[in-house]
Amino acid sequence: MSKKRILFLVIIIALVIIFSNYIWRGESGEGYFEVKSKEVNNSLRATGIVKPAKTININSTLAEKVKQVKVEAGQEVKKGDPLLYYRSSIAEEELNKAAATLRELEGDLLLAEIRVKEAKLGVELVKRRQEISKRVEDASLKEEINRVDIEINKAKDDLKRVKKLYEDGVIEEIRLKEEEHRLKLLESNKRLLSTQLEELYRRRDDRLKEGEINLEIAQKDHSRVKESYRNLSNRIDIYKSDYQRAKANLKEHKVYSPINGMVLNKEVESGEYIKPGVQMLKIGSKELLIRIRPDEKELGLLEVGQEGVATPRAYPDQRFKVKVVRISPEVDPNRGTIDIYLKPLEGEENLIVNMSVFLELTNESSKEEIIIPEEYIVQDGQPYIYLYQEGEKVKKEVEIGFINNGMARVISGLKDRDKVILP
């Protein structure tokens, strides 16, 4: 046998052995793919767009004429910088009027507070006078009446004794008359003292009655000025609300930047009349991110914190590191893509909004995974494949991970040496 023929046979045998590891035709005549785990190191290449980390639309809240736009597209702004002014003469007039009314009411409230304090002091003064009126300087009168009572009792005893002596003829009638006269004088003096004491008590009672009337008047006056004070306080609360509304209304006539950043779009000009809800400006933050929109099938290749390399389309000789910082929580139902945001770790000074950037992200972890050609998978609701088992075609549901470059990662449903048939 010639050397060429021997070489030809060796090649044929080798090809048969290699081919038998992947494709085999059973009795049914159908081809199959034999499953075999492989060590996979996944990577993703994508084109991204530079976007601000945060964008804010400045929409009109008024139906009003724009007095002046203070910024232009591309201009950097700081938080609190004025962006535009509406025409505000009416709002300023309303604020000044509300402020003047509020100042007047606050002055009235101060006077009312003074009146309340004065009325309260008036009530306390009347109460103190009442306490004084209750006290009567009757001690000396009572003492004098007691002394006269003693003298009257003694005079009565003397009169009895003199009268007995007169009846016995010991003394003359004139002596009897003198004792009777002395007793009458003492009794008259007591009546006078008692009358003075009663007058003292009467004047006290009159003062107490007058004090009660004055106290009632003072308490009513106190209640009246307190009610006036409360009414003024309530009016001030109302006018404070009016003032704050006027102030807020005037503030709405002046629009300020809510963040540090840059004016991305300017949609309104000075002198233009606009309606509520119309976008006037768009502000983007200084911090920039790169947004990519890979197919949802490639989501398994990405995770937050994963790093990669980026190259701006405008500067193909520059490469800088990036890191995945945010993965959108939802898939775009129309395109089947998902938004991924990456933060530049360097080279950010060369990036501008809407610049195109090429990215390459590599998943450094490698592991044994089952990878099969995408054509073997039926994507109809729950994905499934067909296995070749004992000469028959058997349907088997599987769970699919990412699909990249026509190859699909099977998470569950297959094992090594399974034979997968084309559907």
Side-chain angles (χ1 to χ4, degrees):
M1 185 180 295
S2 67
K3 290 182 179 181
K4 288 184 178 180
R5 190 169 182 179
I6 293 172
L7 181 59
F8 178 77
L9 289 174
V10 170
I11 292 172
I12 291 297
I13 293 169
L15 288 173
V16 170
I17 294 172
I18 293 171
F19 185 77
S20 64
N21 286 329
Y22 297 99
I23 303 296
W24 179 83
R25 290 190 176 273
E27 295 176 357
S28 64
E30 296 180 281
Y32 64 79
F33 175 88
E34 184 172 287
V35 175
K36 186 176 182 181
S37 299
K38 296 180 180 180
E39 188 176 279
V40 178
N41 192 342
N42 299 311
S43 65
L44 173 69
R45 292 179 177 85
T47 300
I49 300 294
V50 177
K51 294 290 182 182
K54 183 178 183 180
T55 58
I56 298 178
N57 291 329
I58 308 296
N59 296 331
S60 173
T61 58
L62 303 173
E64 187 57 273
K65 187 176 182 180
V66 176
K67 181 178 181 181
Q68 183 182 13
V69 181
K70 304 283 288 184
V71 294
E72 297 293 337
Q75 180 178 332
E76 287 192 7
V77 292
K78 294 181 180 179
K79 184 177 180 179
D81 282 353
L83 299 178
L84 63 81
Y85 297 150
Y86 293 97
R87 184 179 60 183
S88 58
S89 56
I90 296 175
E92 288 174 355
E93 183 180 345
E94 289 178 349
L95 180 62
N96 292 335
K97 184 178 178 180
T101 304
L102 189 58
R103 283 194 299 270
E104 182 180 351
L105 287 174
E106 285 175 342
D108 292 343
L109 185 67
L110 182 61
L111 291 175
E113 187 177 359
I114 293 172
R115 293 192 189 101
V116 169
K117 291 179 180 178
E118 289 176 346
K120 186 177 181 182
L121 287 174
V123 172
E124 295 299 324
L125 180 60
V126 172
K127 286 182 178 179
R128 283 199 295 270
R129 286 175 179 170
Q130 285 289 82
E131 291 299 321
I132 293 172
S133 297
K134 289 178 182 178
R135 297 195 294 267
V136 180
E137 300 296 332
D138 58 355
S140 59
L141 278 173
K142 286 181 177 180
E143 185 179 348
E144 184 67 18
I145 290 172
N146 289 335
R147 184 184 65 78
V148 172
D149 276 338
I150 293 171
E151 289 183 1
I152 288 173
N153 291 332
K154 185 176 179 301
K156 286 180 178 179
D157 291 340
D158 290 346
L159 180 60
K160 287 180 182 180
R161 183 174 57 78
V162 170
K163 191 175 183 180
K164 180 73 169 65
L165 290 173
Y166 171 74
E167 290 175 353
D168 291 341
V170 176
I171 60 173
E172 296 179 359
E173 183 180 3
I174 190 168
R175 179 68 188 279
L176 176 62
K177 294 295 184 182
E178 288 177 352
E179 288 298 328
E180 287 177 348
H181 180 68
R182 187 169 73 88
L183 179 59
K184 287 180 180 179
L185 287 175
L186 289 171
E187 288 176 343
S188 176
N189 189 25
K190 180 182 177 182
R191 285 194 296 273
L192 179 61
L193 291 172
S194 297
T195 300
Q196 290 177 351
L197 185 61
E198 288 173 0
E199 179 64 19
L200 188 64
Y201 287 149
R202 185 187 64 76
R203 289 199 299 268
R204 180 202 63 186
D205 292 342
D206 288 345
R207 288 196 303 270
L208 288 174
K209 288 179 181 178
E210 183 181 358
E212 289 174 358
I213 294 171
N214 291 336
L215 180 60
E216 184 179 355
I217 292 172
Q219 288 174 335
K220 285 182 178 179
D221 185 56
H222 183 234
S223 298
R224 179 181 58 78
V225 294
K226 278 180 68 177
E227 182 64 24
S228 176
Y229 179 84
R230 281 194 294 269
N231 290 337
L232 273 172
S233 296
N234 292 335
R235 286 186 66 194
I236 283 178
D237 289 340
I238 293 171
Y239 275 93
K240 277 183 177 178
S241 299
D242 291 344
Y243 174 78
Q244 291 300 329
R245 278 196 297 271
K247 191 175 180 181
N249 187 33
L250 180 60
K251 188 176 180 181
E252 286 184 356
H253 284 70
K254 297 179 181 180
V255 181
Y256 301 92
S257 177
I259 58 172
N260 295 328
M262 178 181 292
V263 179
L264 301 179
N265 292 330
K266 174 188 170 187
E267 305 291 344
V268 67
E269 297 294 337
S270 299
E272 186 177 343
Y273 185 88
I274 54 174
K275 296 180 180 179
V278 174
Q279 181 176 316
M280 302 182 294
L281 300 164
K282 178 183 280 189
I283 309 295
S285 62
K286 283 189 175 182
E287 182 186 3
L288 300 177
L289 298 178
I290 300 171
R291 185 195 68 198
I292 60 174
R293 286 177 167 171
D295 191 280
E296 61 179 305
K297 298 174 182 177
E298 298 173 319
L299 185 58
L301 297 173
L302 300 165
E303 60 184 359
V304 173
Q306 182 178 348
E307 293 188 2
V309 177
T311 301
R313 186 173 184 179
Y315 308 105
D317 57 335
Q318 294 185 7
R319 290 166 61 85
F320 55 87
K321 291 183 179 180
V322 293
K323 180 172 70 174
V324 177
V325 293
R326 190 167 77 242
I327 298 176
S328 175
E330 60 180 356
V331 173
D332 186 316
N334 297 320
R335 294 193 294 254
T337 58
I338 186 166
D339 287 354
I340 310 293
Y341 293 90
L342 302 98
K343 178 179 177 60
L345 302 179
E346 55 189 355
E348 189 173 352
E349 64 277 2
N350 294 325
L351 299 179
I352 59 174
V353 175
N354 292 328
M355 174 184 280
S356 296
V357 179
F358 301 114
L359 297 109
E360 182 175 356
L361 300 167
T362 302
N363 192 328
E364 295 180 355
S365 61
S366 60
K367 57 182 179 179
E368 292 285 327
E369 293 183 349
I370 293 177
I371 308 294
I372 66 173
E374 183 182 3
E375 60 186 349
Y376 283 83
I377 301 169
V378 180
Q379 297 276 10
D380 183 15
Q382 173 65 40
Y384 61 90
I385 49 88
Y386 288 103
L387 294 178
Y388 180 76
Q389 293 180 346
E390 298 180 356
E392 295 195 9
K393 189 175 183 180
V394 179
K395 180 179 177 181
K396 180 73 177 291
E397 290 185 352
V398 292
E399 183 180 355
I400 304 300
F402 71 87
I403 298 177
N404 191 23
N405 296 327
M407 300 300 289
R409 178 166 69 98
V410 181
I411 299 174
S412 63
L414 285 180
K415 62 183 184 298
D416 279 356
R417 305 190 67 80
D418 278 345
K419 298 175 177 63
V420 184
I421 304 173
L422 286 169

